[in-house]
């Protein structure tokens, strides 16, 4: 089993927990509250800014154009495409997208963003890739499962969100998995352990992020 296959296996219970979180289940049932949708978009817009910066910091650690191009694709995806699922949530909630920009980060989004940025700034290339991997991987899993559950129903109010994440990122994720597997082959057991821990924490933070949106988590003081 490759390093990333091992990671995916270890994270299986977390992927399950995420899929069965009420945020995702109510999204599937078209009953998710307007407040949760708005809180999610406000926080995710800022989180994705941190992800762009994370990818940029990771790019500074690359040694080939091929590697740089893959991270560049990831940045372009956020800048040019990932506003579509946000627009879907805004349309359902009946609010304008631009109105939701400029929010300060709630505790879970703050922690997740800082973890990625700090790892990309001071960690190894493998650590930077590992901490940022749950982000696309978890969403691909959710998107595919939801797409199957709704049987591709275009009239589902969250069809744009579901079809976006269910389809678009797979080739790029597979390239990243191959890349991380190659890095792991050349790393010591200690370095692999650090990548593993960061990946698992990233998965936990994906759960926390949906939970934060669902409960509209804010700083209590
Ligand atoms: C928190 C979070 N994780 C993953 C994605 C998918 O890119 C996203 N938009 N937001």
């Amino acid at each position: 089993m490759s390093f990333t296959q091992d990671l995916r296996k270890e994270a299986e219970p977390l992927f399950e927990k995420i899929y069965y979180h009420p945020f995702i289940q109510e999204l599937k049932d078209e009953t998710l509250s307007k407040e949760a949708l708005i809180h999610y978009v406000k926080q995710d817009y800022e989180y994705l800014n941190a992800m762009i910066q994370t990818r940029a910091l990771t790019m500074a650690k690359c040694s080939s154009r091929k590697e740089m191009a893959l991270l560049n694709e990831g940045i372009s995806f956020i800048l040019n495409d990932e506003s579509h699922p946000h627009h879907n949530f805004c349309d359902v909630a009946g609010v304008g997208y631009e109105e939701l920009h400029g929010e300060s980060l709630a505790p879970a989004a703050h922690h997740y963003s800082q973890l990625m940025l700090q790892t990309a700034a001071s960690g190894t290339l493998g650590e930077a890739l590992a901490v940022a991997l749950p982000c696309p991987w978890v969403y691909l899993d959710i998107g595919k499962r939801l797409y199957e559950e709704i049987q591709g129903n275009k009239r589902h109010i969250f069809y744009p969100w579901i079809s976006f994440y269910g389809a678009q990122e797979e080739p790029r994720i597979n390239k990243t998995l191959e890349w991380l597997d190659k890095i792991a082959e050349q790393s010591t057991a200690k370095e692999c352990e650090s990548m593993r821990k960061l990946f698992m924490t990233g998965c936990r933070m994906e759960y926390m992020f949906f939970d934060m949106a669902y409960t509209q988590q804010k700083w209590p003081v």
Side-chain angles (χ1 to χ4, degrees):
M1 217 189 263
S2 76
F3 178 67
T4 57
Q5 281 170 338
D6 262 344
L7 292 184
R8 182 64 183 78
K9 190 166 168 233
E10 191 182 343
E12 183 58 25
L14 281 168
F15 274 59
E16 282 298 300
K17 283 261 187 199
I18 293 169
Y19 187 70
Y20 287 104
H21 190 282
F23 187 97
I24 300 300
Q25 291 304 303
E26 291 179 21
L27 190 154
K28 182 189 81 188
D29 298 335
E30 303 175 284
T31 56
L32 194 53
S33 77
K34 184 179 158 171
E35 290 72 26
L37 291 170
I38 291 172
H39 198 55
Y40 174 90
V41 174
K42 280 179 175 172
Q43 293 298 317
D44 206 46
Y45 183 78
E46 304 307 321
Y47 164 84
L48 288 178
N49 286 341
M51 180 51 98
I52 291 169
Q53 292 167 332
T54 298
R55 299 253 183 252
L57 287 164
T58 308
M59 205 188 289
K61 297 176 194 290
C62 290
S63 48
S64 77
R65 283 278 175 101
K66 201 174 137 204
E67 295 170 356
M68 290 176 197
L70 190 58
L71 290 164
N72 186 39
E73 266 179 47
I75 291 173
S76 300
F77 179 82
I78 299 174
L79 286 174
N80 305 321
D81 303 322
E82 217 165 345
S83 55
H84 298 315
H86 283 175
H87 274 292
N88 180 204
F89 279 7
C90 287
D91 291 347
V92 173
V95 291
Y97 183 44
E98 279 76 21
E99 281 169 47
L100 307 185
H101 298 172
E103 197 71 11
S104 60
L105 288 165
H110 184 264
H111 181 73
Y112 194 9
S113 301
Q114 288 302 310
L115 176 73
M116 292 194 313
L117 287 167
Q118 191 236 323
T119 304
S122 59
T124 62
L125 175 60
E127 287 171 331
L129 291 176
V131 78
L133 179 59
C135 167
W137 218 4
V138 162
Y139 274 53
L140 177 66
D141 181 72
I142 295 170
K144 276 181 159 181
R145 289 169 78 161
L146 286 176
Y147 194 85
E148 249 177 56
E149 288 242 28
I150 69 162
Q151 298 172 337
N153 173 16
K154 290 201 168 88
R155 287 202 300 272
H156 192 287
I157 57 172
F158 297 117
Y159 177 81
W161 196 94
I162 294 169
S163 56
F164 181 86
Y165 287 117
Q168 305 227 2
E169 287 199 282
E170 200 156 12
R172 187 157 48 79
I173 294 170
N174 289 339
K175 281 191 215 163
T176 308
L177 297 177
E178 276 173 35
W179 185 11
L180 195 54
D181 279 335
K182 227 178 252 159
I183 292 173
E185 275 171 25
Q186 294 153 8
S187 301
T188 63
K190 200 173 154 206
E191 285 162 349
C192 287
E193 176 58 13
S194 171
M195 291 189 269
R196 189 193 64 78
K197 271 199 187 140
L198 284 162
F199 173 79
M200 292 302 291
T201 306
C203 291
R204 274 191 199 101
M205 291 318 300
E206 285 296 332
Y207 180 90
M208 295 300 290
F209 200 95
F210 285 124
D211 202 60
M212 170 206 69
Y214 191 74
T215 61
Q216 290 147 66
Q217 182 200 61
K218 297 190 175 82
W219 296 99
V221 286

